[in-house]
PDB file of all heavy atoms in Angstrom:
ATOM      1  N   ALA A   1      16.452 232.441 162.437  1.00 56.00           N
ATOM      2  CA  ALA A   1      17.310 231.821 161.420  1.00 56.00           C
ATOM      3  C   ALA A   1      16.790 230.422 161.111  1.00 56.00           C
ATOM      4  O   ALA A   1      16.351 229.697 161.981  1.00 56.00           O
ATOM      5  CB  ALA A   1      18.753 231.753 161.912  1.00 56.00           C
ATOM      6  N   VAL A   2      16.851 230.053 159.870  1.00 60.00           N
ATOM      7  CA  VAL A   2      16.399 228.740 159.447  1.00 60.00           C
ATOM      8  C   VAL A   2      17.454 227.712 159.811  1.00 60.00           C
ATOM      9  O   VAL A   2      18.640 227.970 159.724  1.00 60.00           O
ATOM     10  CB  VAL A   2      16.152 228.740 157.919  1.00 60.00           C
ATOM     11  CG1 VAL A   2      15.785 227.359 157.427  1.00 60.00           C
ATOM     12  CG2 VAL A   2      15.079 229.741 157.563  1.00 60.00           C
ATOM     13  N   PHE A   3      17.019 226.515 160.223  1.00 57.00           N
ATOM     14  CA  PHE A   3      17.966 225.439 160.473  1.00 57.00           C
ATOM     15  C   PHE A   3      18.747 225.169 159.203  1.00 57.00           C
ATOM     16  O   PHE A   3      18.180 225.060 158.127  1.00 57.00           O
ATOM     17  CB  PHE A   3      17.234 224.146 160.849  1.00 57.00           C
ATOM     18  CG  PHE A   3      16.714 224.098 162.242  1.00 57.00           C
ATOM     19  CD1 PHE A   3      15.423 223.710 162.477  1.00 57.00           C
ATOM     20  CD2 PHE A   3      17.523 224.401 163.319  1.00 57.00           C
ATOM     21  CE1 PHE A   3      14.926 223.639 163.763  1.00 57.00           C
ATOM     22  CE2 PHE A   3      17.049 224.331 164.595  1.00 57.00           C
ATOM     23  CZ  PHE A   3      15.746 223.946 164.829  1.00 57.00           C
ATOM     24  N   SER A   4      20.029 225.050 159.335  1.00 56.00           N
ATOM     25  CA  SER A   4      20.866 224.675 158.200  1.00 56.00           C
ATOM     26  C   SER A   4      22.168 224.121 158.742  1.00 56.00           C
ATOM     27  O   SER A   4      22.477 224.247 159.922  1.00 56.00           O
ATOM     28  CB  SER A   4      21.155 225.883 157.308  1.00 56.00           C
ATOM     29  OG  SER A   4      22.012 226.779 157.963  1.00 56.00           O
ATOM     30  N   ALA A   5      22.914 223.492 157.885  1.00 52.00           N
ATOM     31  CA  ALA A   5      24.193 222.941 158.288  1.00 52.00           C
ATOM     32  C   ALA A   5      25.119 224.034 158.808  1.00 52.00           C
ATOM     33  O   ALA A   5      25.963 223.786 159.653  1.00 52.00           O
ATOM     34  CB  ALA A   5      24.835 222.205 157.119  1.00 52.00           C
ATOM     35  N   GLU A   6      24.941 225.237 158.308  1.00 55.00           N
ATOM     36  CA  GLU A   6      25.789 226.343 158.738  1.00 55.00           C
ATOM     37  C   GLU A   6      25.407 226.853 160.128  1.00 55.00           C
ATOM     38  O   GLU A   6      26.228 227.398 160.840  1.00 55.00           O
ATOM     39  CB  GLU A   6      25.707 227.505 157.745  1.00 55.00           C
ATOM     40  CG  GLU A   6      26.327 227.202 156.393  1.00 55.00           C
ATOM     41  CD  GLU A   6      25.434 226.350 155.504  1.00 55.00           C
ATOM     42  OE1 GLU A   6      24.197 226.472 155.595  1.00 55.00           O
ATOM     43  OE2 GLU A   6      25.966 225.543 154.732  1.00 55.00           O
ATOM     44  N   THR A   7      24.149 226.699 160.523  1.00 58.00           N
ATOM     45  CA  THR A   7      23.705 227.269 161.797  1.00 58.00           C
ATOM     46  C   THR A   7      23.600 226.254 162.922  1.00 58.00           C
ATOM     47  O   THR A   7      23.567 226.624 164.077  1.00 58.00           O
ATOM     48  CB  THR A   7      22.338 227.973 161.644  1.00 58.00           C
ATOM     49  OG1 THR A   7      21.370 227.008 161.212  1.00 58.00           O
ATOM     50  CG2 THR A   7      22.412 229.112 160.667  1.00 58.00           C
ATOM     51  N   ILE A   8      23.540 224.971 162.593  1.00 57.00           N
ATOM     52  CA  ILE A   8      23.423 223.935 163.608  1.00 57.00           C
ATOM     53  C   ILE A   8      24.615 223.003 163.501  1.00 57.00           C
ATOM     54  O   ILE A   8      24.797 222.327 162.491  1.00 57.00           O
ATOM     55  CB  ILE A   8      22.124 223.105 163.427  1.00 57.00           C
ATOM     56  CG1 ILE A   8      20.894 223.983 163.412  1.00 57.00           C
ATOM     57  CG2 ILE A   8      22.033 222.026 164.500  1.00 57.00           C
ATOM     58  CD1 ILE A   8      20.529 224.594 164.739  1.00 57.00           C
ATOM     59  N   GLU A   9      25.422 222.955 164.568  1.00 54.00           N
ATOM     60  CA  GLU A   9      26.594 222.096 164.557  1.00 54.00           C
ATOM     61  C   GLU A   9      26.162 220.633 164.477  1.00 54.00           C
ATOM     62  O   GLU A   9      25.230 220.207 165.152  1.00 54.00           O
ATOM     63  CB  GLU A   9      27.401 222.315 165.837  1.00 54.00           C
ATOM     64  CG  GLU A   9      28.681 221.526 165.877  1.00 54.00           C
ATOM     65  CD  GLU A   9      29.494 221.809 167.116  1.00 54.00           C
ATOM     66  OE1 GLU A   9      29.440 222.934 167.621  1.00 54.00           O
ATOM     67  OE2 GLU A   9      30.172 220.891 167.567  1.00 54.00           O
ATOM     68  N   GLY A  10      26.811 219.863 163.646  1.00 54.00           N
ATOM     69  CA  GLY A  10      26.515 218.450 163.517  1.00 54.00           C
ATOM     70  C   GLY A  10      25.346 218.143 162.602  1.00 54.00           C
ATOM     71  O   GLY A  10      24.968 216.992 162.451  1.00 54.00           O
ATOM     72  N   MET A  11      24.757 219.136 161.979  1.00 54.00           N
ATOM     73  CA  MET A  11      23.585 218.911 161.157  1.00 54.00           C
ATOM     74  C   MET A  11      23.959 218.607 159.710  1.00 54.00           C
ATOM     75  O   MET A  11      23.099 218.337 158.906  1.00 54.00           O
ATOM     76  CB  MET A  11      22.668 220.134 161.213  1.00 54.00           C
ATOM     77  CG  MET A  11      21.264 219.884 160.779  1.00 54.00           C
ATOM     78  SD  MET A  11      20.284 221.364 161.020  1.00 54.00           S
ATOM     79  CE  MET A  11      18.681 220.629 161.180  1.00 54.00           C
ATOM     80  N   THR A  12      25.226 218.584 159.401  1.00 58.00           N
ATOM     81  CA  THR A  12      25.645 218.388 158.018  1.00 58.00           C
ATOM     82  C   THR A  12      25.256 217.020 157.478  1.00 58.00           C
ATOM     83  O   THR A  12      25.090 216.865 156.283  1.00 58.00           O
ATOM     84  CB  THR A  12      27.167 218.584 157.875  1.00 58.00           C
ATOM     85  OG1 THR A  12      27.820 217.667 158.761  1.00 58.00           O
ATOM     86  CG2 THR A  12      27.574 219.996 158.192  1.00 58.00           C
ATOM     87  N   ASP A  13      25.092 216.019 158.341  1.00 85.00           N
ATOM     88  CA  ASP A  13      24.742 214.689 157.898  1.00 85.00           C
ATOM     89  C   ASP A  13      23.236 214.479 157.796  1.00 85.00           C
ATOM     90  O   ASP A  13      22.794 213.410 157.413  1.00 85.00           O
ATOM     91  CB  ASP A  13      25.325 213.639 158.834  1.00 85.00           C
ATOM     92  CG  ASP A  13      26.841 213.615 158.793  1.00 85.00           C
ATOM     93  OD1 ASP A  13      27.401 214.023 157.760  1.00 85.00           O
ATOM     94  OD2 ASP A  13      27.448 213.195 159.777  1.00 85.00           O
ATOM     95  N   MET A  14      22.446 215.464 158.163  1.00 93.00           N
ATOM     96  CA  MET A  14      20.997 215.329 158.145  1.00 93.00           C
ATOM     97  C   MET A  14      20.450 215.599 156.744  1.00 93.00           C
ATOM     98  O   MET A  14      20.883 216.521 156.066  1.00 93.00           O
ATOM     99  CB  MET A  14      20.357 216.310 159.136  1.00 93.00           C
ATOM    100  CG  MET A  14      18.871 216.079 159.310  1.00 93.00           C
ATOM    101  SD  MET A  14      18.125 217.187 160.519  1.00 93.00           S
ATOM    102  CE  MET A  14      19.017 216.733 161.981  1.00 93.00           C
ATOM    103  N   HIS A  15      19.498 214.777 156.343  1.00 95.00           N
ATOM    104  CA  HIS A  15      18.876 214.930 155.032  1.00 95.00           C
ATOM    105  C   HIS A  15      18.172 216.290 154.937  1.00 95.00           C
ATOM    106  O   HIS A  15      17.553 216.737 155.906  1.00 95.00           O
ATOM    107  CB  HIS A  15      17.878 213.790 154.816  1.00 95.00           C
ATOM    108  CG  HIS A  15      17.484 213.621 153.396  1.00 95.00           C
ATOM    109  ND1 HIS A  15      16.471 214.341 152.831  1.00 95.00           N
ATOM    110  CD2 HIS A  15      17.980 212.818 152.426  1.00 95.00           C
ATOM    111  CE1 HIS A  15      16.345 213.987 151.564  1.00 95.00           C
ATOM    112  NE2 HIS A  15      17.260 213.056 151.294  1.00 95.00           N
ATOM    113  N   PRO A  16      18.247 216.949 153.795  1.00 95.00           N
ATOM    114  CA  PRO A  16      17.637 218.281 153.650  1.00 95.00           C
ATOM    115  C   PRO A  16      16.127 218.301 153.917  1.00 95.00           C
ATOM    116  O   PRO A  16      15.608 219.284 154.452  1.00 95.00           O
ATOM    117  CB  PRO A  16      17.927 218.659 152.196  1.00 95.00           C
ATOM    118  CG  PRO A  16      19.090 217.829 151.799  1.00 95.00           C
ATOM    119  CD  PRO A  16      19.013 216.566 152.605  1.00 95.00           C
ATOM    120  N   THR A  17      15.413 217.224 153.596  1.00 96.00           N
ATOM    121  CA  THR A  17      13.968 217.232 153.856  1.00 96.00           C
ATOM    122  C   THR A  17      13.685 217.247 155.351  1.00 96.00           C
ATOM    123  O   THR A  17      12.724 217.878 155.788  1.00 96.00           O
ATOM    124  CB  THR A  17      13.265 216.018 153.206  1.00 96.00           C
ATOM    125  OG1 THR A  17      13.817 214.803 153.722  1.00 96.00           O
ATOM    126  CG2 THR A  17      13.387 216.057 151.697  1.00 96.00           C
ATOM    127  N   THR A  18      14.538 216.584 156.117  1.00 96.00           N
ATOM    128  CA  THR A  18      14.354 216.577 157.568  1.00 96.00           C
ATOM    129  C   THR A  18      14.739 217.923 158.160  1.00 96.00           C
ATOM    130  O   THR A  18      14.093 218.394 159.098  1.00 96.00           O
ATOM    131  CB  THR A  18      15.167 215.439 158.206  1.00 96.00           C
ATOM    132  OG1 THR A  18      14.917 214.233 157.495  1.00 96.00           O
ATOM    133  CG2 THR A  18      14.771 215.246 159.656  1.00 96.00           C
ATOM    134  N   GLN A  19      15.759 218.556 157.615  1.00 95.00           N
ATOM    135  CA  GLN A  19      16.105 219.906 158.059  1.00 95.00           C
ATOM    136  C   GLN A  19      14.907 220.836 157.871  1.00 95.00           C
ATOM    137  O   GLN A  19      14.577 221.613 158.768  1.00 95.00           O
ATOM    138  CB  GLN A  19      17.303 220.440 157.276  1.00 95.00           C
ATOM    139  CG  GLN A  19      18.605 219.767 157.597  1.00 95.00           C
ATOM    140  CD  GLN A  19      19.753 220.321 156.771  1.00 95.00           C
ATOM    141  OE1 GLN A  19      19.650 221.360 156.132  1.00 95.00           O
ATOM    142  NE2 GLN A  19      20.872 219.616 156.773  1.00 95.00           N
ATOM    143  N   ARG A  20      14.252 220.731 156.707  1.00 96.00           N
ATOM    144  CA  ARG A  20      13.089 221.584 156.441  1.00 96.00           C
ATOM    145  C   ARG A  20      11.923 221.239 157.357  1.00 96.00           C
ATOM    146  O   ARG A  20      11.190 222.127 157.798  1.00 96.00           O
ATOM    147  CB  ARG A  20      12.695 221.485 154.969  1.00 96.00           C
ATOM    148  CG  ARG A  20      13.729 222.118 154.047  1.00 96.00           C
ATOM    149  CD  ARG A  20      13.236 222.296 152.621  1.00 96.00           C
ATOM    150  NE  ARG A  20      12.815 221.064 151.982  1.00 96.00           N
ATOM    151  CZ  ARG A  20      13.597 220.278 151.252  1.00 96.00           C
ATOM    152  NH1 ARG A  20      14.878 220.590 151.084  1.00 96.00           N
ATOM    153  NH2 ARG A  20      13.127 219.196 150.674  1.00 96.00           N
ATOM    154  N   LEU A  21      11.746 219.946 157.672  1.00 96.00           N
ATOM    155  CA  LEU A  21      10.685 219.531 158.592  1.00 96.00           C
ATOM    156  C   LEU A  21      10.913 220.143 159.968  1.00 96.00           C
ATOM    157  O   LEU A  21       9.989 220.701 160.567  1.00 96.00           O
ATOM    158  CB  LEU A  21      10.632 218.003 158.696  1.00 96.00           C
ATOM    159  CG  LEU A  21       9.686 217.447 159.759  1.00 96.00           C
ATOM    160  CD1 LEU A  21       8.239 217.812 159.459  1.00 96.00           C
ATOM    161  CD2 LEU A  21       9.860 215.951 159.881  1.00 96.00           C
ATOM    162  N   TYR A  22      12.133 220.054 160.494  1.00 96.00           N
ATOM    163  CA  TYR A  22      12.441 220.641 161.798  1.00 96.00           C
ATOM    164  C   TYR A  22      12.239 222.152 161.789  1.00 96.00           C
ATOM    165  O   TYR A  22      11.719 222.721 162.753  1.00 96.00           O
ATOM    166  CB  TYR A  22      13.873 220.301 162.229  1.00 96.00           C
ATOM    167  CG  TYR A  22      14.060 218.879 162.709  1.00 96.00           C
ATOM    168  CD1 TYR A  22      15.259 218.212 162.493  1.00 96.00           C
ATOM    169  CD2 TYR A  22      13.066 218.193 163.394  1.00 96.00           C
ATOM    170  CE1 TYR A  22      15.459 216.914 162.933  1.00 96.00           C
ATOM    171  CE2 TYR A  22      13.250 216.896 163.844  1.00 96.00           C
ATOM    172  CZ  TYR A  22      14.451 216.268 163.616  1.00 96.00           C
ATOM    173  OH  TYR A  22      14.643 214.988 164.059  1.00 96.00           O
ATOM    174  N   ALA A  23      12.646 222.800 160.713  1.00 96.00           N
ATOM    175  CA  ALA A  23      12.471 224.249 160.610  1.00 96.00           C
ATOM    176  C   ALA A  23      10.985 224.616 160.599  1.00 96.00           C
ATOM    177  O   ALA A  23      10.569 225.572 161.256  1.00 96.00           O
ATOM    178  CB  ALA A  23      13.156 224.784 159.361  1.00 96.00           C
ATOM    179  N   ALA A  24      10.178 223.846 159.875  1.00 96.00           N
ATOM    180  CA  ALA A  24       8.736 224.119 159.826  1.00 96.00           C
ATOM    181  C   ALA A  24       8.091 223.879 161.179  1.00 96.00           C
ATOM    182  O   ALA A  24       7.254 224.672 161.622  1.00 96.00           O
ATOM    183  CB  ALA A  24       8.078 223.241 158.761  1.00 96.00           C
ATOM    184  N   ALA A  25       8.470 222.808 161.853  1.00 96.00           N
ATOM    185  CA  ALA A  25       7.905 222.521 163.175  1.00 96.00           C
ATOM    186  C   ALA A  25       8.235 223.645 164.151  1.00 96.00           C
ATOM    187  O   ALA A  25       7.386 224.064 164.956  1.00 96.00           O
ATOM    188  CB  ALA A  25       8.436 221.190 163.699  1.00 96.00           C
TER     189      ALA A  25
END
């Protein structure tokens, strides 16, 4: 599953570009 605000608790405040960076890493 890709990192997203729906799948990671507390991730709603994270910028979308950083979410994508973490998912790619």
Side-chain angles (χ1 to χ4, degrees):
V2 176
F3 283 131
S4 70
E6 292 78 32
T7 61
I8 305 289
E9 183 177 328
M11 198 176 205
T12 57
D13 294 335
M14 188 178 299
H15 197 274
T17 59
T18 311
Q19 290 179 13
R20 291 192 302 268
L21 173 63
Y22 285 147

